[in-house]
């Protein structure tokens, strides 16, 4: 089965990139699809998102809607942003630098939008 | 023949990516089946009537790729939001000929059948 | 409110824009920081926020969307943009957006 | 009355800036003369026919601002490159009513007469 | 006279931002217009640009076409990018952090596109 | 050329994309770096370029536009994109773009 690693490195809500990457990952779940949160992309891992006042889709809900999707976060990026001590979305697996890079390299395709 | 899929997310002129994708695709067409998926702002690339005074016409470059056999498709959600509405056959009156609007599921299908994928 | 410098920051921490915004603030005599969009992620830097007690405003809908809460000393106005406009229209104020 | 000029460079949906500009402008109209200059990709904002399924319709928000008295103008070079051609009076058949295409020199004039400027 | 400080913080040619900022500054020369190169914007200061093969306008030529425009570069940004030892466009004045920030604050309008 | 990993970098130094690209390269057994667009600014880091002798290709039109020259050990092919496509079509190659 073809494996795809989607890399998200921009913050959710400020730009459409996160929504775009999530939708692309969601339609890819018949393949072996992984979403890797890196740099500002790790903000997507923050628990308690409620976008109703902003009147846009809740992006962390999309993670729960597709349990087939493996969701990884680059731990050094979380640390740099002070997120490690915060409540995080349970779906997200933390990976150290080495493992994150290895998985990104191992997939058939690495797609950074 | 191997298949190459190129995914674009920027519109024309705002960045070099549309030009780069053209340069890659135009050479790749000799040895690859080429798919191009226009996502997010890239759905603006096939708009008709572009008339840049200082840059190459991105729309025409992509139409040339389609004429030469590249499959160029634009994301339906992104396109509808931005005012490009598809006819039943996926064509769009605002678009240059040969470039169609399609569901994001077609991206997944393109990827499944691709040997190489480049996102720009 | 005379000669107030309003800094509207919409970029996340560690971005070049956020860095420059904060450096300009340090050179301002009467700064106030308005955080909107991805700018609200700057609230995660609690030490930074403590440097500007009462001088930081955060946009409620942007906070909630991103799962953030405002810490002590940060104001979350009911209508962030209304307050921003009121400060902007005040005589002698300046607006800097990053 | 003081004058506020807002400069935008992003298209609709790709970022929050069009929404933010709307929120600022809609409140500012009570106390400012409001100018909005659409530059680079922001010339896509007034395109007619936008139909976002999950977001607020940016085109309509800006048309509302124009209806309420904001002067909304798009850069002619950026617009022509992207396929929005101006009629003699600056109107554009692809644009929502009340939003015109104009030369970049009008930006300079807006700035010269402005009391506050925000670039988003 | 109204003074405007245009801040350019993205690299030339890769995006239209530099061209856009230059054009906006060029139409503003009846006012007191300054272009401040900061972060990746300082790449615009590199001498010897020749964009004919790329088939786009030469951006450093625009600097010479508008001598009324004051052009500043943030020296620490040049240092970080290894540009201080390179040939630079003569039009560009180097400023240290303190002076750059002061001039940016002093203008009537600061415009970062 | 079997199992060659092609890294196409279009982002400038210090960007998160450039950093990640270079880290992935270090984990690759047979990497080659293609610099295009603002990616060519990475040539300014001469130490970095010396790490990958013969493994770095730069796009001529992007170099010239930006006023850059390729240093020693960096190849500037006559048709950068043609060479890129030839490497991509080779059996076992992979392409990573940043």
């Amino acid at each position: 089965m073809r494996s795809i690693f989607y890399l998200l490195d921009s913050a959710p809500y400020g730009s459409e990139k996160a929504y775009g990457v999530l939708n692309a990952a969601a339609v890819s779940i018949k393949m072996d699809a992984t979403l890797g949160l890196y740099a500002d992309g790790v903000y997507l891992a923050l628990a308690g998102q409620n976008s109703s006042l902003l009147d846009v889709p809740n992006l962390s809900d999309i993670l729960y809607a597709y349990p087939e999707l493996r969701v990884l976060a680059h731990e050094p990026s979380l640390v740099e942003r002070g997120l490690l001590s915060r409540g995080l979305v349970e779906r997200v697996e933390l990976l150290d630098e080495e493992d994150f890079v290895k998985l990104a390299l191992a997939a058939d395709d690495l797609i950074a939008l | 023949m191997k298949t190459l899929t190129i995914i674009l997310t920027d519109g024309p002129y705002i960045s070099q990516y549309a030009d780069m994708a053209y340069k890659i695709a135009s050479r790749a067409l000799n040895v690859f089946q080429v798919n191009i998926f226009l996502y997010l702002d890239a759905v603006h690339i096939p708009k008709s009537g572009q008339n840049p005074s200082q840059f190459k016409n991105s729309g025409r470059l992509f139409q040339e790729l389609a004429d030469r056999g590249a499959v160029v498709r634009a994301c339906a959600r992104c396109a509808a939001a931005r005012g490009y509405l598809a006819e039943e056959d996926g064509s769009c009156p605002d678009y240059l000929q040969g470039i169609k609007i399609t569901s994001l599921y077609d991206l997944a299908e393109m990827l499944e059948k691709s040997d190489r994928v480049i996102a720009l | 409110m005379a000669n107030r410098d309003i800094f509207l920051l919409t970029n996340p921490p560690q971005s070049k824009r956020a860095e420059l915004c904060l450096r300009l603030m340090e050179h301002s005599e009467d700064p106030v920081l308005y955080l909107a969009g991805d700018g609200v992620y700057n609230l995660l830097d609690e030490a930074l926020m403590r440097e500007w007690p009462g001088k930081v405003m955060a946009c409620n809908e942007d906070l909630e969307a991103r799962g953030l809460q405002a810490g002590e000393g940060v104001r979350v106005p009911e209508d962030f943009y209304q307050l921003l406009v009121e400060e902007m229209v005040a005589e002698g104020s300046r607006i800097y957006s990053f």
Side-chain angles (χ1 to χ4, degrees), chain A, chain B, chain C:
Chain A
M1 199 184 350
R2 196 154 188 92
S3 60
I4 305 189
F5 189 102
Y6 286 97
L7 184 88
L8 174 63
D9 61 1
S10 45
Y13 302 107
S15 96
E16 199 186 7
K17 283 281 170 86
Y19 188 54
V21 172
L22 281 165
N23 283 335
V27 298
S28 305
I29 52 174
K30 282 186 193 161
M31 294 172 276
D32 174 7
T34 299
L35 172 65
L37 309 179
Y38 178 76
D40 285 346
V42 297
Y43 288 122
L44 183 62
L46 269 170
Q49 297 172 39
N50 177 359
S51 58
S52 55
L53 286 178
L54 206 55
D55 215 3
V56 299
N58 184 316
L59 299 184
S60 55
D61 282 358
I62 299 178
L63 295 178
Y64 285 107
Y66 297 93
E68 305 89 332
L69 183 66
R70 188 172 180 194
V71 185
L72 313 174
H74 179 247
E75 200 172 301
S77 298
L78 286 162
V79 173
E80 276 169 29
R81 286 162 185 78
L83 295 181
L84 213 51
S85 57
R86 305 267 163 172
L88 298 180
V89 169
E90 283 168 35
R91 290 270 285 110
V92 177
E93 282 172 63
L94 308 195
L95 287 190
D96 65 17
E97 166 79 17
E98 178 94 2
D99 288 344
F100 190 90
V101 164
K102 276 190 186 158
L103 284 177
L105 266 180
D108 291 315
D109 300 310
L110 172 61
I111 298 179
L113 295 186
Chain B
M1 209 182 220
K2 288 197 176 80
T3 298
L4 168 69
T5 294
I6 301 174
I7 307 174
L8 284 170
T9 56
D10 276 358
Y13 314 111
I14 196 66
S15 77
Q16 260 188 290
Y17 290 118
D19 277 357
M20 271 184 212
Y22 168 78
K23 289 178 182 176
I24 295 171
S26 83
R27 287 153 182 85
L29 275 167
N30 302 319
V31 288
F32 280 104
Q33 163 61 40
V34 175
N35 300 321
I36 301 178
F37 196 82
L38 306 174
Y39 199 39
L40 304 180
D41 270 357
V43 300
H44 291 300
I45 292 176
K47 185 176 187 314
S48 60
Q50 294 172 43
N51 189 18
S53 51
Q54 311 263 5
F55 303 101
K56 269 179 256 164
N57 187 313
S58 289
R60 245 182 260 149
L61 295 178
F62 279 67
Q63 190 174 32
E64 181 208 309
L65 295 174
D67 287 346
R68 289 176 53 201
V71 175
V72 186
R73 296 290 177 263
C75 163
R77 177 192 70 78
C78 313
R82 289 163 176 80
Y84 303 101
L85 301 178
E87 311 269 337
E88 264 183 42
D89 66 350
S91 68
C92 172
D94 277 357
Y95 269 8
L96 293 163
Q97 271 199 332
I99 299 173
K100 291 194 173 179
I101 292 173
T102 188
S103 141
L104 190 57
Y105 287 96
D106 277 9
L107 170 63
E109 235 173 80
M110 280 182 179
L111 296 176
E112 215 163 345
K113 293 178 186 154
S114 292
D115 299 280
R116 306 285 184 271
V117 178
I118 300 183
L120 288 177
Chain C
M1 300 247 294
N3 301 322
R4 171 156 282 194
D5 291 335
I6 307 161
F7 293 87
L8 172 61
L9 177 57
T10 62
N11 281 287
Q14 300 174 35
S15 62
K16 292 285 163 192
R17 291 271 171 109
E19 276 176 28
L20 184 60
C21 177
L22 297 169
R23 272 187 259 167
L24 288 180
M25 266 184 83
E26 281 165 19
H27 283 78
S28 162
E29 287 179 16
D30 185 9
V32 58
L33 180 63
Y34 277 74
L35 300 174
D38 288 341
V40 299
Y41 288 118
N42 289 280
L43 293 171
L44 289 164
D45 187 344
E46 290 162 5
L48 175 73
M49 293 303 118
R50 275 194 298 269
E51 266 183 58
W52 305 101
K55 299 279 192 183
V56 182
M57 314 283 159
C59 177
N60 189 35
E61 59 261 37
D62 283 318
L63 279 179
E64 290 209 355
R66 291 164 178 81
L68 296 169
Q69 293 85 37
E72 248 181 277
V74 175
R75 274 184 65 191
V76 183
E78 199 169 322
D79 189 336
F80 175 90
Y81 291 101
Q82 179 60 36
L83 195 66
L84 174 67
V85 165
E86 283 168 18
E87 292 230 52
M88 278 202 298
V89 83
E91 210 53 55
S93 75
R94 286 180 184 213
I95 172 88
Y96 299 92
S97 57
F98 289 96

